PDB file of all heavy atoms in Angstrom:
ATOM      1  N   VAL A  43      98.178  92.432 134.143  1.00 95.00           N
ATOM      2  CA  VAL A  43      97.417  93.421 133.321  1.00 95.00           C
ATOM      3  C   VAL A  43      95.923  93.119 133.551  1.00 95.00           C
ATOM      4  O   VAL A  43      95.498  92.032 133.334  1.00 95.00           O
ATOM      5  CB  VAL A  43      97.822  93.302 131.822  1.00 95.00           C
ATOM      6  CG1 VAL A  43      97.039  94.392 131.054  1.00 95.00           C
ATOM      7  CG2 VAL A  43      99.247  93.339 131.564  1.00 95.00           C
ATOM      8  N   SER A  44      95.264  94.170 133.925  1.00 96.00           N
ATOM      9  CA  SER A  44      93.762  94.158 134.010  1.00 96.00           C
ATOM     10  C   SER A  44      93.200  94.590 132.596  1.00 96.00           C
ATOM     11  O   SER A  44      93.311  95.795 132.318  1.00 96.00           O
ATOM     12  CB  SER A  44      93.145  94.993 135.104  1.00 96.00           C
ATOM     13  OG  SER A  44      93.544  94.447 136.309  1.00 96.00           O
ATOM     14  N   GLN A  45      92.819  93.621 131.770  1.00 94.00           N
ATOM     15  CA  GLN A  45      92.324  94.031 130.453  1.00 94.00           C
ATOM     16  C   GLN A  45      91.173  93.097 130.076  1.00 94.00           C
ATOM     17  O   GLN A  45      91.049  92.022 130.605  1.00 94.00           O
ATOM     18  CB  GLN A  45      93.404  94.018 129.444  1.00 94.00           C
ATOM     19  CG  GLN A  45      94.023  92.698 129.116  1.00 94.00           C
ATOM     20  CD  GLN A  45      95.001  92.712 127.995  1.00 94.00           C
ATOM     21  OE1 GLN A  45      94.691  93.331 126.856  1.00 94.00           O
ATOM     22  NE2 GLN A  45      96.170  92.183 128.111  1.00 94.00           N
ATOM     23  N   ASN A  46      90.480  93.526 129.073  1.00 95.00           N
ATOM     24  CA  ASN A  46      89.489  92.666 128.410  1.00 95.00           C
ATOM     25  C   ASN A  46      89.358  93.063 126.925  1.00 95.00           C
ATOM     26  O   ASN A  46      90.297  93.678 126.420  1.00 95.00           O
ATOM     27  CB  ASN A  46      88.116  92.830 129.155  1.00 95.00           C
ATOM     28  CG  ASN A  46      87.678  94.275 129.263  1.00 95.00           C
ATOM     29  OD1 ASN A  46      87.985  95.056 128.431  1.00 95.00           O
ATOM     30  ND2 ASN A  46      86.945  94.558 130.320  1.00 95.00           N
ATOM     31  N   THR A  47      88.282  92.736 126.287  1.00 94.00           N
ATOM     32  CA  THR A  47      88.208  92.953 124.910  1.00 94.00           C
ATOM     33  C   THR A  47      88.026  94.471 124.528  1.00 94.00           C
ATOM     34  O   THR A  47      88.215  94.939 123.366  1.00 94.00           O
ATOM     35  CB  THR A  47      87.004  92.252 124.174  1.00 94.00           C
ATOM     36  OG1 THR A  47      85.745  92.671 124.786  1.00 94.00           O
ATOM     37  CG2 THR A  47      87.113  90.753 124.482  1.00 94.00           C
ATOM     38  N   THR A  48      87.713  95.324 125.565  1.00 93.00           N
ATOM     39  CA  THR A  48      87.500  96.742 125.296  1.00 93.00           C
ATOM     40  C   THR A  48      88.801  97.538 125.592  1.00 93.00           C
ATOM     41  O   THR A  48      88.833  98.701 125.127  1.00 93.00           O
ATOM     42  CB  THR A  48      86.374  97.300 126.177  1.00 93.00           C
ATOM     43  OG1 THR A  48      86.777  97.201 127.550  1.00 93.00           O
ATOM     44  CG2 THR A  48      85.118  96.532 126.052  1.00 93.00           C
ATOM     45  N   GLY A  49      89.774  97.000 126.220  1.00 90.00           N
ATOM     46  CA  GLY A  49      90.928  97.688 126.491  1.00 90.00           C
ATOM     47  C   GLY A  49      91.716  97.234 127.841  1.00 90.00           C
ATOM     48  O   GLY A  49      91.302  96.307 128.421  1.00 90.00           O
ATOM     49  N   VAL A  50      92.693  98.095 128.185  1.00 90.00           N
ATOM     50  CA  VAL A  50      93.473  97.873 129.418  1.00 90.00           C
ATOM     51  C   VAL A  50      92.892  98.832 130.536  1.00 90.00           C
ATOM     52  O   VAL A  50      92.873 100.017 130.289  1.00 90.00           O
ATOM     53  CB  VAL A  50      94.928  98.086 129.123  1.00 90.00           C
ATOM     54  CG1 VAL A  50      95.717  98.086 130.504  1.00 90.00           C
ATOM     55  CG2 VAL A  50      95.500  97.046 128.161  1.00 90.00           C
ATOM     56  N   GLN A  51      92.626  98.292 131.657  1.00 93.00           N
ATOM     57  CA  GLN A  51      92.190  99.124 132.704  1.00 93.00           C
ATOM     58  C   GLN A  51      93.265  99.418 133.766  1.00 93.00           C
ATOM     59  O   GLN A  51      93.288 100.474 134.329  1.00 93.00           O
ATOM     60  CB  GLN A  51      91.065  98.368 133.535  1.00 93.00           C
ATOM     61  CG  GLN A  51      89.812  98.211 132.635  1.00 93.00           C
ATOM     62  CD  GLN A  51      89.828  97.178 131.692  1.00 93.00           C
ATOM     63  OE1 GLN A  51      90.181  96.039 131.911  1.00 93.00           O
ATOM     64  NE2 GLN A  51      89.412  97.492 130.450  1.00 93.00           N
ATOM     65  N   ALA A  52      94.257  98.574 133.945  1.00 94.00           N
ATOM     66  CA  ALA A  52      95.343  98.802 134.903  1.00 94.00           C
ATOM     67  C   ALA A  52      96.493  97.808 134.652  1.00 94.00           C
ATOM     68  O   ALA A  52      96.291  96.774 134.053  1.00 94.00           O
ATOM     69  CB  ALA A  52      94.853  98.686 136.303  1.00 94.00           C
ATOM     70  N   THR A  53      97.720  98.218 135.037  1.00 92.00           N
ATOM     71  CA  THR A  53      98.869  97.356 135.003  1.00 92.00           C
ATOM     72  C   THR A  53      99.634  97.400 136.296  1.00 92.00           C
ATOM     73  O   THR A  53      99.556  98.360 137.030  1.00 92.00           O
ATOM     74  CB  THR A  53      99.826  97.654 133.832  1.00 92.00           C
ATOM     75  OG1 THR A  53     100.466  98.992 134.176  1.00 92.00           O
ATOM     76  CG2 THR A  53      99.141  97.663 132.519  1.00 92.00           C
ATOM     77  N   HIS A  54     100.282  96.218 136.694  1.00 95.00           N
ATOM     78  CA  HIS A  54     101.033  96.202 137.868  1.00 95.00           C
ATOM     79  C   HIS A  54     102.284  95.299 137.595  1.00 95.00           C
ATOM     80  O   HIS A  54     102.185  94.108 137.276  1.00 95.00           O
ATOM     81  CB  HIS A  54     100.256  95.525 139.029  1.00 95.00           C
ATOM     82  CG  HIS A  54     101.043  95.343 140.353  1.00 95.00           C
ATOM     83  ND1 HIS A  54     101.401  96.422 141.098  1.00 95.00           N
ATOM     84  CD2 HIS A  54     101.542  94.273 140.892  1.00 95.00           C
ATOM     85  CE1 HIS A  54     102.125  96.017 142.126  1.00 95.00           C
ATOM     86  NE2 HIS A  54     102.239  94.775 142.025  1.00 95.00           N
ATOM     87  N   ASP A  55     103.555  95.842 137.599  1.00 96.00           N
ATOM     88  CA  ASP A  55     104.716  95.211 137.223  1.00 96.00           C
ATOM     89  C   ASP A  55     105.051  94.311 138.410  1.00 96.00           C
ATOM     90  O   ASP A  55     105.007  94.607 139.572  1.00 96.00           O
ATOM     91  CB  ASP A  55     105.848  96.196 137.003  1.00 96.00           C
ATOM     92  CG  ASP A  55     105.637  97.014 135.753  1.00 96.00           C
ATOM     93  OD1 ASP A  55     104.884  96.541 134.907  1.00 96.00           O
ATOM     94  OD2 ASP A  55     106.175  98.095 135.575  1.00 96.00           O
ATOM     95  N   ILE A  56     105.602  93.130 138.015  1.00 97.00           N
ATOM     96  CA  ILE A  56     106.108  92.148 139.026  1.00 97.00           C
ATOM     97  C   ILE A  56     107.361  92.706 139.613  1.00 97.00           C
ATOM     98  O   ILE A  56     108.218  93.252 138.924  1.00 97.00           O
ATOM     99  CB  ILE A  56     106.453  90.775 138.323  1.00 97.00           C
ATOM    100  CG1 ILE A  56     105.093  90.150 137.691  1.00 97.00           C
ATOM    101  CG2 ILE A  56     107.050  89.808 139.273  1.00 97.00           C
ATOM    102  CD1 ILE A  56     104.091  89.808 138.716  1.00 97.00           C
ATOM    103  N   PRO A  57     107.557  92.631 140.916  1.00 98.00           N
ATOM    104  CA  PRO A  57     108.764  93.133 141.566  1.00 98.00           C
ATOM    105  C   PRO A  57     110.020  92.437 140.884  1.00 98.00           C
ATOM    106  O   PRO A  57     110.002  91.214 140.594  1.00 98.00           O
ATOM    107  CB  PRO A  57     108.648  92.715 143.008  1.00 98.00           C
ATOM    108  CG  PRO A  57     107.143  92.595 143.281  1.00 98.00           C
ATOM    109  CD  PRO A  57     106.549  92.129 141.940  1.00 98.00           C
ATOM    110  N   LEU A  58     111.056  93.191 140.684  1.00 98.00           N
ATOM    111  CA  LEU A  58     112.281  92.726 139.935  1.00 98.00           C
ATOM    112  C   LEU A  58     112.811  91.481 140.556  1.00 98.00           C
ATOM    113  O   LEU A  58     113.281  90.542 139.827  1.00 98.00           O
ATOM    114  CB  LEU A  58     113.292  93.806 139.811  1.00 98.00           C
ATOM    115  CG  LEU A  58     112.824  95.009 138.916  1.00 98.00           C
ATOM    116  CD1 LEU A  58     113.912  96.033 138.822  1.00 98.00           C
ATOM    117  CD2 LEU A  58     112.322  94.573 137.530  1.00 98.00           C
ATOM    118  N   ASP A  59     113.010  91.494 141.866  1.00 98.00           N
ATOM    119  CA  ASP A  59     113.543  90.249 142.514  1.00 98.00           C
ATOM    120  C   ASP A  59     112.730  88.989 142.217  1.00 98.00           C
ATOM    121  O   ASP A  59     113.279  87.897 141.941  1.00 98.00           O
ATOM    122  CB  ASP A  59     113.710  90.472 144.013  1.00 98.00           C
ATOM    123  CG  ASP A  59     114.825  91.406 144.425  1.00 98.00           C
ATOM    124  OD1 ASP A  59     115.657  91.675 143.545  1.00 98.00           O
ATOM    125  OD2 ASP A  59     114.783  91.834 145.549  1.00 98.00           O
ATOM    126  N   PHE A  60     111.412  89.167 142.231  1.00 98.00           N
ATOM    127  CA  PHE A  60     110.564  87.929 141.923  1.00 98.00           C
ATOM    128  C   PHE A  60     110.628  87.648 140.432  1.00 98.00           C
ATOM    129  O   PHE A  60     110.531  86.464 140.102  1.00 98.00           O
ATOM    130  CB  PHE A  60     109.142  88.241 142.417  1.00 98.00           C
ATOM    131  CG  PHE A  60     108.274  87.066 142.350  1.00 98.00           C
ATOM    132  CD1 PHE A  60     108.364  85.984 143.287  1.00 98.00           C
ATOM    133  CD2 PHE A  60     107.332  86.877 141.358  1.00 98.00           C
ATOM    134  CE1 PHE A  60     107.604  84.950 143.176  1.00 98.00           C
ATOM    135  CE2 PHE A  60     106.611  85.736 141.298  1.00 98.00           C
ATOM    136  CZ  PHE A  60     106.668  84.724 142.231  1.00 98.00           C
ATOM    137  N   LEU A  61     110.799  88.661 139.652  1.00 98.00           N
ATOM    138  CA  LEU A  61     110.881  88.398 138.210  1.00 98.00           C
ATOM    139  C   LEU A  61     112.075  87.618 137.919  1.00 98.00           C
ATOM    140  O   LEU A  61     112.112  86.592 137.195  1.00 98.00           O
ATOM    141  CB  LEU A  61     111.014  89.737 137.408  1.00 98.00           C
ATOM    142  CG  LEU A  61     111.169  89.729 135.940  1.00 98.00           C
ATOM    143  CD1 LEU A  61     110.029  89.023 135.255  1.00 98.00           C
ATOM    144  CD2 LEU A  61     111.363  91.133 135.431  1.00 98.00           C
ATOM    145  N   LYS A  62     113.268  87.997 138.534  1.00 98.00           N
ATOM    146  CA  LYS A  62     114.501  87.187 138.393  1.00 98.00           C
ATOM    147  C   LYS A  62     114.288  85.812 138.879  1.00 98.00           C
ATOM    148  O   LYS A  62     114.771  84.861 138.233  1.00 98.00           O
ATOM    149  CB  LYS A  62     115.572  87.835 139.203  1.00 98.00           C
ATOM    150  CG  LYS A  62     116.004  89.261 138.680  1.00 98.00           C
ATOM    151  CD  LYS A  62     116.977  89.881 139.645  1.00 98.00           C
ATOM    152  CE  LYS A  62     117.443  91.293 139.126  1.00 98.00           C
ATOM    153  NZ  LYS A  62     118.242  92.069 140.081  1.00 98.00           N
TER     154      LYS A  62
END
Side-chain angles (χ1 to χ4, degrees):
V43 184
S44 294
Q45 68 171 309
N46 53 30
T47 64
T48 67
V50 172
Q51 291 77 49
T53 64
H54 178 72
D55 293 336
I56 297 296
L58 294 180
D59 286 345
F60 190 74
L61 178 62
K62 294 174 184 177

